[in-house]
Amino acid sequence: MVRTVRTWVVALVAGAALLMAGCGGTAGGAGGQGGNTDDTFVVGMSAEPPHLMRLFLGDVQVGLVGLAMEESLVTVDREREVQPQLAESWEQLDDVTYRFHLRQGVTWHDGEPFTADDVVFTFQNGLGVNAGTAALKEMVASAAAVDEHTVDVVLNSPTGAFLAMLNPMSFSILPQHVYEGTELETNPANRAPVGTGPFKFESWENGRITLARNDDYWGDTPGFAKVVFTVIGDATARALALKSGDIDYINSYDVPYEAILQLENDDNVVLDTGRASYSMKMFPFNTRNEILADPAVRKALFQAIDRDFISESAFGGYFPPGRSPLPEGHWANTGDIDYDAEYPFDPEAAEAALDAAGYPRGADGTRFSLVHRYEASEPGGEKVAEVIADNWRAIGVETTVLQDDAEVFREEVFANHNFDTYTINIASGADPAIGLYRRYTCDNDQNAVFGNATGYCNKELDDLFIAANSANEREERVPLYTQAQRIVADDLPTAILVQVSYTEAIRAELSGIEDFFALGEVVLLDWSKIGPAQS
């Protein structure tokens, strides 16, 4: 079993108080330690989410807020082991049938009872809206209530990925009484969720989302009466707000390398690294472009990018260069594939390959032009784009770099396919069936947000993924995923620039920090455990 690495970084305190100029809407008020009042936990985030229903959109900000309210049957811990959540226990009746025994006495935030009907409704109606649940939808043949607190789920074939795919990052239960008979994606509850979690929705206005403690929560009573999520778009301003105590926590997605440098020498702040370590900065090519349809061109362009320089200049070496389609340390990565060996940084070799592919330099020294996009809130997106553009200019490829806000980025990349390349930080997830399969499959809706936007399709690769997803034991699955990664490395529809090791930051005086961070994905947190400082 692969174990994650936990690092606690505590150092010297900054001497002077820091002003909050430019921080945007903060929680306001004074008084308590770490976040304005003793009963309110304040989270600074980089951008406002479009809604709060993680089942319908695999967005970091959606999950950060939404998963304080929404829950699944199971969750995963830091060791990527499946743990109970709304399912108290489960058993396999045969190779394809799982029986889940639900917690009794659980209620939705509006007071309605949580039952097996809610679980069945979610399996039957909620899967496939988000690209992240497309593979899960294909796996499930049926779901049926045995009684009010028992659900049987039958799969189309055996699969070792099933339980891990039910974690809240990918799958959360919908209240049937709220969603039945409605358009799921436009239901007003997506912006004011009714969940079963430790906090419940209170308000959303002016870039500020407030949740209130769920006093009827089935688990531990949360230590804070309220959680406030406030948008502070600038990374430096977020770090200053944490140092000064105006906010209490910044999720790892919103702690870029520059913020780490600001925070690592402050003994009022704890930095935690390794909770969501299996992530990567993906670099997809639009294979609909006639030039980029040629794998030789894609390989040449990748070989012209100085990934070591990106690692050092944009991320201070914290994020090492990516070496394969899955991050190092992931249980499905055997180390057989090494991009550094196969595609080392070599501009001269890249130029020769482009000449051979039929794209010599023109009279002005230019071979062709490309459009590269990135989302404004993406950590390191701007610096990475600058390096790519500079590297490509050196081999005669001109690059127009476009920075988009989240809504424009998703529309242009995933709906309009108006890009040649883009970067995005993607968690590989507890299982490749969650985080890898949907990036390459032909069958996944290629207009789905965070799905396969490249236009790439390889039936042999699809068959390998399906076989690997369906196998029960890791010993069977690893060789199949290795073959799949070999095809990805050979065709290179998507490359990996760096391996992302996320670091999150929290005020050191708070109680329950280690338990708050006990779960194992980037926005999976145990919100019932964090509390005010103990006097």
Side-chain angles (χ1 to χ4, degrees):
M1 179 178 66
V2 176
R3 299 185 65 87
T4 53
V5 178
R6 184 176 299 191
T7 304
W8 300 93
V9 182
V10 181
L12 298 175
V13 63
L18 296 166
L19 297 177
M20 281 293 298
C23 286
T26 60
Q33 293 176 308
N36 304 300
T37 61
D38 286 335
D39 65 351
T40 301
F41 183 72
V42 185
V43 180
M45 58 184 183
S46 60
E48 197 168 0
H51 60 72
L52 303 177
M53 186 53 64
R54 175 72 186 199
L55 181 64
F56 300 153
L57 184 63
D59 175 82
V60 171
Q61 311 300 349
V62 172
L64 178 61
V65 184
L67 295 184
M69 298 176 280
E70 302 148 21
E71 296 183 304
S72 183
L73 295 173
V74 303
T75 189
V76 291
D77 62 23
R78 288 182 74 130
E79 282 69 44
R80 304 308 189 270
E81 297 296 327
V82 177
Q83 302 292 344
Q85 199 168 61
L86 289 175
E88 199 167 41
S89 63
W90 55 88
E91 62 210 37
Q92 266 192 271
L93 303 184
D94 55 44
D95 284 348
V96 295
T97 306
Y98 288 76
R99 174 164 289 178
F100 295 93
H101 302 279
L102 308 181
R103 295 185 187 276
Q104 300 189 30
V106 177
T107 58
W108 294 100
H109 293 156
D110 60 5
E112 292 293 317
F114 162 73
T115 72
D117 290 339
D118 298 305
V119 178
V120 172
F121 175 82
T122 306
F123 272 111
Q124 292 178 343
N125 298 276
L127 300 182
V129 177
N130 170 7
T133 61
L136 183 58
K137 183 177 182 179
E138 293 173 5
M139 287 180 183
V140 176
S142 66
V146 177
D147 58 38
E148 191 175 4
H149 302 293
T150 310
V151 176
D152 282 355
V153 179
V154 180
L155 308 182
N156 287 308
S157 62
T159 172
F162 175 60
L163 286 175
M165 294 180 74
L166 296 182
N167 83 80
M169 286 276 288
S170 303
F171 181 79
S172 53
I173 307 300
L174 298 172
Q176 181 179 11
H177 65 283
V178 173
Y179 282 91
E180 189 170 32
T182 73
E183 291 291 331
L184 298 186
E185 292 181 90
T186 58
N187 191 305
N190 295 342
R191 289 183 62 87
V194 176
T196 58
F199 286 91
K200 55 188 179 181
F201 181 83
E202 182 173 285
S203 64
W204 185 351
E205 54 188 1
N206 301 321
R208 175 186 168 105
I209 302 168
T210 301
L211 311 183
R213 179 167 53 211
N214 176 13
D215 290 321
D216 296 320
Y217 184 52
W218 59 264
D220 293 337
T221 301
F224 283 103
K226 293 183 185 294
V227 176
V228 171
F229 298 85
T230 186
V231 175
I232 305 175
D234 180 74
T236 297
R238 282 196 303 277
L240 293 178
L242 188 71
K243 287 170 72 71
S244 65
D246 286 288
I247 64 175
D248 295 299
Y249 169 65
I250 309 172
N251 181 257
S252 55
Y253 186 85
D254 290 332
V255 183
Y257 165 61
E258 296 87 351
I260 293 173
L261 294 182
Q262 290 179 276
L263 296 170
E264 64 183 353
N265 292 324
D266 191 331
D267 63 3
N268 291 317
V269 173
V270 166
L271 300 182
D272 183 83
T273 301
R275 193 171 65 87
S277 58
Y278 300 145
S279 301
M280 46 205 168
K281 187 175 289 293
M282 299 188 77
F283 182 60
F285 296 92
N286 191 345
T287 65
R288 300 174 187 84
N289 179 325
E290 182 180 358
I291 298 171
L292 299 179
D294 184 351
V297 172
R298 300 195 294 266
K299 294 175 185 179
L301 291 171
F302 184 50
Q303 194 163 9
I305 298 172
D306 190 342
R307 283 103 64 190
D308 285 321
F309 183 73
I310 286 176
S311 172
E312 293 296 331
S313 65
F315 307 110
Y318 278 80
F319 295 178
R323 295 179 179 272
S324 60
L326 276 172
E328 293 181 66
H330 195 291
W331 62 262
N333 185 352
T334 61
D336 290 14
I337 295 161
D338 185 350
Y339 287 155
D340 279 358
E342 297 182 36
Y343 308 117
F345 174 59
D346 189 337
E348 291 184 4
E351 292 220 56
L354 292 176
D355 288 341
Y359 300 102
R361 289 179 182 263
D364 63 352
T366 301
R367 301 173 187 274
F368 50 80
S369 299
L370 298 173
V371 173
H372 174 79
R373 309 189 87 107
Y374 69 96
E375 186 181 329
S377 63
E378 177 196 332
E382 182 176 7
K383 287 189 176 181
V384 170
E386 290 174 357
V387 174
I388 291 169
D390 286 345
N391 287 168
W392 283 355
R393 188 176 300 110
I395 63 167
V397 177
E398 287 300 319
T399 308
T400 299
V401 173
L402 299 178
Q403 181 194 79
D404 302 318
D405 65 29
E407 185 176 352
V408 171
F409 179 81
R410 291 165 189 158
E411 179 75 14
E412 293 300 320
V413 169
F414 296 102
N416 299 333
H417 307 134
N418 184 17
F419 71 95
D420 293 311
T421 60
Y422 68 93
T423 51
I424 189 169
N425 282 9
I426 292 294
S428 61
D431 196 287
I434 303 171
L436 193 67
Y437 172 64
R438 60 184 158 128
R439 315 294 173 188
Y440 300 101
T441 177
C442 304
D443 296 330
N444 194 25
D445 179 357
Q446 296 207 350
N447 291 328
V449 175
F450 306 136
N452 176 13
T454 67
Y456 172 78
C457 174
N458 184 320
K459 289 295 187 182
E460 181 185 359
L461 179 62
D462 267 16
D463 289 344
L464 281 168
F465 274 127
I466 291 168
N469 295 350
S470 299
N472 263 324
E473 301 300 327
R474 285 188 179 179
E475 290 76 9
E476 303 173 64
R477 304 178 72 205
V478 169
L480 295 168
Y481 283 130
T482 299
Q483 293 178 56
Q485 291 178 83
R486 179 69 270 159
I487 292 175
V488 171
D490 288 343
D491 289 353
L492 213 68
T494 293
I496 309 300
L497 295 178
V498 293
Q499 181 167 322
V500 178
S501 182
Y502 284 119
T503 299
E504 48 205 327
I506 193 167
R507 295 287 299 177
E509 71 269 17
L510 299 177
S511 62
I513 291 174
E514 187 164 359
D515 289 333
F516 182 57
F517 289 154
L519 302 182
E521 296 292 349
V522 62
V523 292
L524 274 186
L525 297 153
D526 192 337
W527 289 95
S528 69
K529 297 299 195 294
I530 195 68
Q534 298 296 313
S535 57

